Amino acid sequence: MTDRELLSLAKKASMNAYVPYSRFPVGAALECEDGTVFTGCNVENAALGSTICAERTACCKAVSEGHRSFKRVAIFADSENWPTPCGACRQFLHEFSPDMEILCSKAGDRYVSYKLSALMPHAFDY
Ligand code: THU
């Protein structure tokens, strides 16, 4: 799968976002080592701290289906800034694949990519 195909799955996933509070839909498409893709969106809650981000939704879907090794995650949000994953999502993904690639896209054709290890150096572990 190309980067752009994965990004387009992330954009499609953002359409299912449940975002009555922030009105900020995010979508993610997580590609596993074996090529399986799990998508996710952000799911908000009236108890705001219970909100789950798109990346963690996708990651929990994957892990709960027996996948623990990831190659890439594509993230889409129609935002002004590149939608890089929040700190909690970085830590969460790092648990499984510290060297995975992170693709970020917003409206328009361009996207940026990072190694998770560059976005999350010295992640917590024990
Ligand atoms: N959000 C994500 O889905 N992923 C991130 O990495 C950062 C933030 C969501 C959470 C909330 O629903 C909305 O974006 C605004 O913070």
Side-chain angles (χ1 to χ4, degrees), residues 33-124:
E33 276 305 339
D34 71 353
T36 312
V37 174
F38 290 89
T39 59
C41 60
N42 47 341
V43 182
E44 299 186 342
N45 190 271
L48 296 177
S50 300
T51 291
I52 179 163
C53 295
E55 300 91 318
R56 276 178 289 151
T57 301
C59 189
C60 286
K61 284 172 69 177
V63 173
S64 64
E65 295 297 325
H67 296 262
R68 295 183 181 176
S69 192
F70 309 127
K71 271 198 291 214
R72 291 179 295 178
V73 65
I75 305 163
F76 173 84
D78 188 0
S79 56
E80 217 170 284
N81 300 315
W82 297 109
T84 53
C86 75
C89 289
R90 294 177 197 198
Q91 176 70 36
F92 206 86
L93 292 169
H94 181 277
E95 179 80 15
F96 300 101
S97 294
D99 292 320
M100 68 185 293
E101 199 181 354
I102 313 277
L103 313 174
C104 307
S105 67
K106 49 186 183 175
D109 223 28
R110 292 170 52 233
Y111 65 97
V112 292
S113 79
Y114 303 95
K115 280 276 192 186
L116 178 56
S117 52
L119 294 184
M120 191 64 176
H122 312 294
F124 175 75

